[in-house]
Structure formats: structure tokens, C-alpha cells
Amino acid sequence: MPDETVRSASYTVSCEDYVHVVEFSPFDCGSPASLLAYGGNQYVVVGTCRFKEEDTEVEDVEFTSLQVFLHGVRVDAIAWSPETRLDKLPPVIRFCTAAADRKVRLWTSDLQNNCDVKVMEGHTSYINHLVFEPAEGKQIASVSDDHTCRVWNLDGNETISFRLRSPGVSVCWHPEDICKLMVAEKKGTIRFYDLVTQHAILSLDSGQVPLMSADWCLTNTIKVGAVVANDWVIWDITRSSYPLEKRPAHVDKARHFRWSRANENLFATTGYPGKINSQLLVHHLGHPQPVMIGSASVGAGLSWHRTLPLCVIGGDRKLFFWMTEM
């Protein structure tokens, strides 16, 4: 019997180069299409996606490139600003990148002739993740192998720095309370910081290492998930600092954990790229086994669509999209 959960990608989009990171915008940009950015060795491409699940006139997926930003150095992380709007005249595209040269860059474009780049320097090692403050987009937080989490303003100035006890791997902002920031560390600890007092107010312990990626469920903020070693782990932050649930996920180490934005019980994990393929698993908290297994040629990055149960990973000259039937 073939395993019905093993699926090839629902849709693919061809790219010019290897894709290191890919991010759907989590914010309403004033367009029926979804904004998507992906980064490679030298560039960032910003475009819009429409899927047949949203528009019956679309055959599978319709990707329209809006602008290619020459980056000059490998892109390691991308974060969207809530200020990005396609329904303004002129439109506003704003996003941040972390790069292999340990710098954060803030990009602002009107998709015409004006493109402004601010470079933020301060991290002394590899930057693993970054995020915009989600209400107004006036601050950016980044975490690094240099054992710091830093908060920046849009002028490029560092306003807050938290000293971590191990490399910072993920950072998430509370969707309503902009004074609360979640920072995950490689040694298995997740801390929540109050940005007013600049103190940790809560910590979670995974009980094992290395923690490679964590995410805050923004549709139900009592849930936090992560991948640690080969396992995924889930916390209910109102009940315990230790995981509520834990399951083995990937034979080799797990790499990414992301909650779906369409369903608070749905999340995806990826394994480390093997010699040929990378494994994507989609899990549902009500099911003991993954509800979908996908494979991509040496994939990188992981992101969920804002409203559909659809996720994307990058690969060699391709974007791979999987729709989850729920």
C-alpha cells in the first residue's frame, strides 16, 4: 500500500538561482494576492502569488515578480514589515534581511525608481532570524550566534540588547502586546522578555539540545513550538515550563518549526538538507502521525501562507508549495 501522506509539491515556481530563504508576508498588504520574498546568493526577489484555491481563473499558481533587489551577499533571513502596502500610490515595499556579512539591511521601495537601504551593524556573528514589531513596524528584533538579541529602530540604531546564554536561533513578537518578545536559544531555553523593563518574565525548557528553531502560535499565544534534535516539542505556556507534547520527527536533525496561520493545530517541520533531498512534515495536534510528508531537492527556509493551509520551502532554482487538505 502506498503511503497516501507522502506527496510531491502541489505547485512549483522556477527561480534563477538557489533559494536560501523564502517568506510569505504575514500581513494584509491591501491586495487579493499574497506577497512573497525569496533570497539567494546575491539578490532578493519580491513578488505576488495567487493560487487556484483563491481564484478559479488561476490554473495552479500565478507568481508575478514585482522587483529584484541586488543584495551582493548571501541572504540568510527575511522579515516583512506591516507597513508594506500594494493599495497605496505609490506602493510601499518594506522588508529586512540578514546576510552572511553579519549585517541587517532595511529595504524600502516604491517599485519604481526609489529604493532606500539602511545597513545596521553590531552583530559579531551569524544572524539566524529577525522579525518586525507587528503593529506599526517601527522596530526590528534580530538574534545571532553572538549570544545576543538586538532591537533596532528604523533609523538603523540599536535601542535594546539582551545578552543570551547561547546562540539565539529564533525571535517572535507578540501579535497584540508589542512589549513582549520571545527569544529561543540553541541550548534549549526559550525566554519571554518585557521590552519596557528589559527583563525576562517567563522561560521554557526543552530538556534537550540543540534547539534549532521555535515559533509562537500567533492565533493562540499560549502555544509555543520548536524542533530540538530530532523531535518537535509543544508547550502550553499557562501550564508548565516543560513541553506538553513531544514526538520524534526527523531521522537526522530537524531544522525549522513553523505554525500555520490558518489553523492553530497545524504546524510544519523540516529536516536538515540531506545529500539529495530535504523532508517537509506537516503535523496536526490531533493526529499521532504527520498528516503530510513532502520532499524537495535540498530545500531551505519554510513559511506559511497568511490565510491558506499552504506552506513553501525553497530549493535549487525552485520554490515548492504544498497545500494541506484539512
Side-chain angles (χ1 to χ4, degrees), residues 25-316:
S25 172
F27 305 110
D28 179 2
C29 66
S31 161
S34 293
L35 274 168
L36 182 79
Y38 64 88
N41 292 314
Q42 300 278 334
Y43 67 90
V44 175
V45 176
V46 167
T48 57
C49 285
R50 289 287 278 167
F51 298 91
K52 69 177 183 187
E53 285 78 6
E54 303 170 287
D55 185 345
T56 50
E57 291 183 11
V58 174
E59 262 184 41
D60 289 317
V61 57
E62 195 175 79
F63 180 79
T64 306
S65 176
L66 298 176
Q67 191 164 357
V68 178
F69 297 83
L70 188 62
H71 199 269
V73 61
R74 189 188 72 226
V75 185
D76 292 327
I78 297 173
W80 281 99
S81 166
E83 292 189 288
T84 295
R85 302 294 301 185
L86 293 178
D87 55 355
K88 281 188 171 177
L89 281 174
V92 179
I93 296 287
R94 179 170 282 167
F95 61 95
C96 244
T97 56
D101 61 3
R102 307 170 180 178
K103 294 173 186 174
V104 174
R105 288 171 174 80
L106 171 64
W107 304 77
T108 307
S109 167
D110 62 3
L111 297 180
Q112 290 158 20
N113 302 318
N114 297 314
C115 180
D116 178 65
V117 188
K118 275 201 178 64
V119 180
M120 306 177 194
E121 298 186 51
H123 281 299
T124 57
S125 189
Y126 189 84
I127 301 165
N128 292 305
H129 195 213
L130 72 172
V131 66
F132 270 88
E133 172 268 298
E136 295 182 347
K138 301 301 184 195
Q139 299 178 91
I140 299 147
S142 56
V143 288
S144 163
D145 280 354
D146 67 9
H147 295 212
T148 65
C149 169
R150 299 170 193 243
V151 179
W152 316 80
N153 63 24
L154 298 190
D155 294 325
N157 300 316
E158 184 185 305
T159 57
I160 300 171
S161 179
F162 295 111
R163 187 88 197 132
L164 310 178
R165 292 168 200 182
S166 65
V169 293
S170 297
V171 58
C172 303
W173 226 296
H174 192 288
E176 283 97 35
D177 186 346
I178 62 163
C179 295
K180 289 194 175 58
L181 197 66
M182 184 195 96
V183 178
E185 296 187 34
K186 199 168 188 176
K187 275 194 176 167
T189 306
I190 297 174
R191 286 188 182 84
F192 297 82
Y193 291 93
D194 183 316
L195 295 181
V196 178
T197 64
Q198 296 187 28
H199 289 301
I201 47 178
L202 177 72
S203 69
L204 307 175
D205 189 346
S206 67
Q208 62 193 99
V209 294
L211 192 158
M212 295 308 298
S213 170
D215 198 20
W216 204 346
C217 181
L218 299 184
T219 50
N220 182 354
T221 52
I222 68 167
K223 291 180 185 174
V224 170
V227 285
V228 192
N230 301 29
D231 304 339
W232 60 256
V233 293
I234 305 284
W235 291 264
D236 173 338
I237 65 173
T238 63
R239 290 173 66 177
S240 171
S241 61
Y242 291 100
L244 195 64
E245 211 169 334
K246 173 178 135 177
R247 297 256 167 81
H250 299 270
V251 179
D252 297 324
K253 277 192 304 188
R255 178 64 191 91
H256 288 293
F257 182 107
R258 293 286 183 272
W259 290 102
S260 163
R261 299 175 184 281
N263 182 331
E264 67 173 71
N265 293 312
L266 204 60
F267 60 95
T269 60
T270 60
Y272 259 82
K275 289 188 175 66
I276 302 166
N277 284 338
S278 304
Q279 191 183 47
L280 166 78
L281 300 178
V282 176
H283 315 265
H284 189 285
L285 283 177
H287 296 263
Q289 299 298 326
V291 293
M292 200 204 75
I293 300 169
S295 178
S297 55
V298 194
L302 171 64
S303 185
W304 285 91
H305 189 277
R306 195 171 69 85
T307 55
L308 294 173
L310 175 141
C311 56
V312 59
I313 60 176
D316 188 12

